[in-house]
Structure formats: C-alpha cells, structure tokens
Amino acid sequence: MNDLLKEQARNLPLNPGVYLMKDKQGTIIYIGKAKKLRDRVSSYFVKNKQHSSKTRRMIRQLVDFEVIEVVTELDALLLECRLIQEYRPFYNRQMNSFEKYNYFEINTDNDELSLNILSIPTNKNCFGPFSINRKLSELKQILENLYGLNQNNYWQHSFSQQTTTLLAQPVSTMELLGAFTQDNQLPQKRLEAAMLLASENYSFEKAQKLREDWKFLTRFFNQNKKLVLASQTNWQLLSIPVGSKVKYYLLYQGLVVHERILTKQTFSKYTPNELAKKKLPSKKPKNIQQFSKDQVDFINILYRYINHHKECHLVAIDDPFD
C-alpha cells in the first residue's frame, strides 16, 4: 500500500469530483467519479475484502492520481463520461466502447417493411444508438415474429402464424414507429393478447416464451424513453440546489449548452425563460437528427440522474434565440 498516496487522499476535499488513476508511465488506467472525493479515493487505500480482483490489480499498478473538483454530483458524472471517452482507460468498461454501439432501423423502402441493425445510421426512421448490442438481435427477432416479418424464415413464419394475425404494412409500420417515438406500447399489448391466447389453448410453454418477450420489450422501451425525450424536446432548463446557491443548466436536445451558478435569491427573481437568455452561445445549436455514438451515454446519465433525484427541477422552455 502506497503511504504517500494514502496521505494525499486523506487531504482531498469532501466535494464532488472526478479522479484519474495513473500507472508508473503516467498513463491514466482508471477514471471514477465521487460525491465526496476524500472518502471515495481513500477507499482504495484501505484493505477491503470487497474489492474486486480487477480493483486489486488496478491498485497494484497505481503510482499517482489526479482529481478534478466540480460543483455537483451530476457534474462529476458527466465529466467522468467525457474523460472516459477521451482517454479510454484500461480498467473502465462502461462508456469505453461507444464506437461499438448500434442503431435500429425501421425500413419502409420499396413498399416493404424490414428491421435492420446498423453501425452507421440512416436519415429516416433510425433510432439509437443503443449500447446493448447483443440485445438488439433479440429485439429484432421478437418484433419480426410479432409482426410476421422475414417470412422467408420458416420458423418465424410458423411462429407468427400461430401467435398473431398478419397486419397490413401501414398498421405494422405505425405501431413500430410509435413504439420508438411515442411509447405507444402496442407491441407489448399484442404480445399480451398472444400470451393469453396461448394459455387458453393450453400452450403453456409458448405462453411462457411470449411472457419473456413481453418483459424484454417493456424493459427495452423503458430505457429508450430517455433518448425519445431528448430527441423530441428542444429546450429545457434544469436547476439543482447547491447549498445557498442554485446551479442551472440550459439543455438543447438533452445536451448541456450552458451552465451557471446563482444565489437562490437571484435565481428566484427570474423565470426559466429569462434565465435561459442570460448567457447564450454565440450561435444557435444545430438540430440533431440522429444522436452520435459518443452522445448517448451522456444523455442517459443526465436523464437517469434527473429521474432519481427529487431536488432536480426540469422544465421545458421557449427557444431563447427567438
């Protein structure tokens, strides 16, 4: 155990921040975030049986660390994401392989409906990117079965005939697009109906499989809501109390355009629309038709934090450039 690093950790502030662990070559091998830097960094220099084998290996290579203080825990989370994507540390797994994320396309060219998994997005009816690459193939198969697509596949053709009535293409297209953009839950409802029918026909194994598919779709589209919210809502103002002050963030399509700290008294004097106009970028951000692979983690982190912290106040606002 490095006593010098242990002492340096004891002298860190009890503020939010990001820490960068380095090896003897000065290479950043791990990046983490902390609500309280002193407590989190010090935990690496205390013998703890709960440390994973990966963490113990990282500690053995550690010869130095650097910290970056920030104002809020959310700032630490977002900065951690940016730095991991920039430095690609060996011991970070999450957010470290964003270039492998894929998109999900609902293709209606040539009057045919098909579902495709793509590494490069198209300009129409393409969603994502999604970090759960292995799950996209399962999503594709469930939806193809449910809507009777890919009829050249004998097993899928047989399955779709037994579970659902084949729909006209416009209906299938409308339901699928609605599931990705409006959370209409129609695919889940169709699975529920097929599941009940299978149970009534005493096909209990089939009913169990359909129930598993229903659970999968429900989880997937619940996760997808964050991207839908970001893509469909142009301007928002997020405010978070910080002691006697308030930090607010101006968001455009789920990305932070500007941030500022004010006293609570000053903050209360203005409406959200007025606050948004106080300090704007020199140019209006371009409309994002399709999120890039390096943006999706950032957006998911932001809205996950908002959803789990009641002190966050998020409101839709008018375009401050008008």
Side-chain angles (χ1 to χ4, degrees):
M1 191 68 67
N2 190 315
D3 291 334
L4 178 60
L5 294 182
K6 191 175 182 179
E7 184 61 28
Q8 289 176 356
R10 284 201 197 104
N11 293 322
L12 291 175
L14 288 171
N15 295 330
V18 170
Y19 54 92
L20 299 85
M21 303 300 205
K22 302 179 181 181
D23 64 12
K24 62 183 180 181
Q25 283 81 33
T27 302
I28 297 171
I29 57 175
Y30 183 75
I31 295 174
K33 81 284 185 184
K35 191 173 183 178
K36 296 179 179 180
L37 279 168
R38 183 195 305 168
D39 293 348
R40 185 69 186 101
V41 177
S42 293
S43 70
Y44 289 98
F45 305 107
V46 177
K47 290 184 179 180
N48 189 338
K49 293 182 180 179
Q50 294 184 345
H51 282 326
S52 67
S53 58
K54 183 188 79 169
T55 299
R56 289 194 293 269
R57 287 196 304 272
M58 186 270 291
I59 293 172
R60 285 196 293 269
Q61 292 180 251
L62 181 60
V63 299
D64 193 14
F65 66 81
E66 174 187 348
V67 299
I68 304 173
E69 292 183 57
V70 294
V71 176
T72 69
E73 183 183 12
L74 175 60
D75 293 333
L77 288 163
L78 297 178
L79 178 58
E80 178 197 36
C81 176
R82 291 194 190 100
L83 293 177
I84 288 174
Q85 291 184 348
E86 179 180 353
Y87 290 105
R88 316 298 289 273
F90 178 80
Y91 287 102
N92 286 99
R93 293 182 180 177
Q94 292 185 329
M95 301 172 284
N96 201 344
S97 302
F98 60 90
E99 75 282 351
K100 296 180 182 178
Y101 297 174
N102 281 325
Y103 300 83
F104 196 86
E105 180 197 38
I106 300 173
N107 189 300
T108 56
D109 292 344
N110 303 320
D111 296 324
E112 292 185 4
L113 175 61
S114 64
L115 307 179
N116 303 297
I117 298 170
L118 307 172
S119 59
I120 299 175
T122 56
N123 293 324
K124 182 181 178 183
N125 299 340
C126 197
F127 306 95
F130 300 105
S131 60
I132 47 174
N133 288 334
R134 289 176 294 179
K135 298 292 185 180
L136 287 182
S137 295
E138 186 175 349
L139 173 72
K140 180 175 182 287
Q141 183 175 335
I142 289 172
L143 293 177
E144 285 180 340
N145 293 342
L146 183 60
Y147 287 94
L149 307 177
N150 195 8
Q151 292 295 300
N152 291 329
N153 183 306
Y154 172 78
W155 184 88
Q156 290 189 16
H157 178 65
S158 175
F159 183 93
S160 64
Q161 281 187 325
Q162 297 173 31
T163 56
T164 186
T165 302
L166 293 182
L167 301 170
Q169 180 189 317
V171 176
S172 297
T173 301
M174 179 272 295
E175 291 190 7
L176 287 168
L177 289 176
F180 277 89
T181 61
Q182 302 168 10
D183 190 31
N184 63 13
Q185 300 187 13
L186 292 179
Q188 295 95 308
K189 291 177 182 178
R190 287 196 177 276
L191 279 173
E192 284 183 299
M195 180 175 61
L196 289 173
L197 180 61
S199 295
E200 291 171 358
N201 292 332
Y202 303 103
S203 299
F204 297 118
E205 289 185 11
K206 186 181 298 180
Q208 178 61 30
K209 174 62 170 63
L210 291 166
R211 179 171 177 78
E212 292 172 1
D213 291 348
W214 174 85
K215 287 182 179 180
F216 177 91
L217 284 191
T218 300
R219 286 195 301 269
F220 177 86
F221 286 117
N222 281 339
Q223 294 171 349
N224 186 48
K225 285 179 182 178
K226 299 182 185 73
L227 286 178
V228 172
L229 176 62
S231 64
Q232 293 187 342
T233 306
N234 280 345
W235 292 97
Q236 295 172 300
L237 193 87
L238 168 66
S239 58
I240 302 175
V242 185
S244 62
K245 298 182 179 181
V246 176
K247 181 164 187 179
Y248 72 88
Y249 306 77
L250 181 60
L251 308 180
Y252 181 72
Q253 289 190 294
L255 300 173
V256 176
V257 174
H258 171 65
E259 53 192 77
R260 190 177 185 184
I261 299 177
L262 297 174
T263 65
K264 288 183 178 179
Q265 183 177 7
T266 303
F267 180 83
S268 64
K269 291 180 180 179
Y270 301 96
T271 67
N273 286 308
E274 290 171 337
L275 288 167
K277 291 185 176 183
K278 277 200 160 294
K279 191 175 181 181
L280 292 173
S282 57
K283 294 182 180 179
K284 183 176 179 177
K286 293 182 179 180
N287 183 263
I288 301 172
Q289 298 296 326
Q290 181 66 65
F291 291 118
S292 63
K293 295 182 180 183
D294 61 342
Q295 291 173 332
V296 63
D297 285 318
F298 184 96
I299 291 168
N300 283 330
I301 289 168
L302 176 65
Y303 285 100
R304 188 183 302 120
Y305 186 89
I306 293 169
N307 292 338
H308 287 84
H309 291 78
K310 294 181 180 179
E311 70 273 19
C312 293
H313 186 56
L314 182 70
V315 294
I317 58 173
D318 299 331
D319 187 338
F321 283 86
D322 288 344

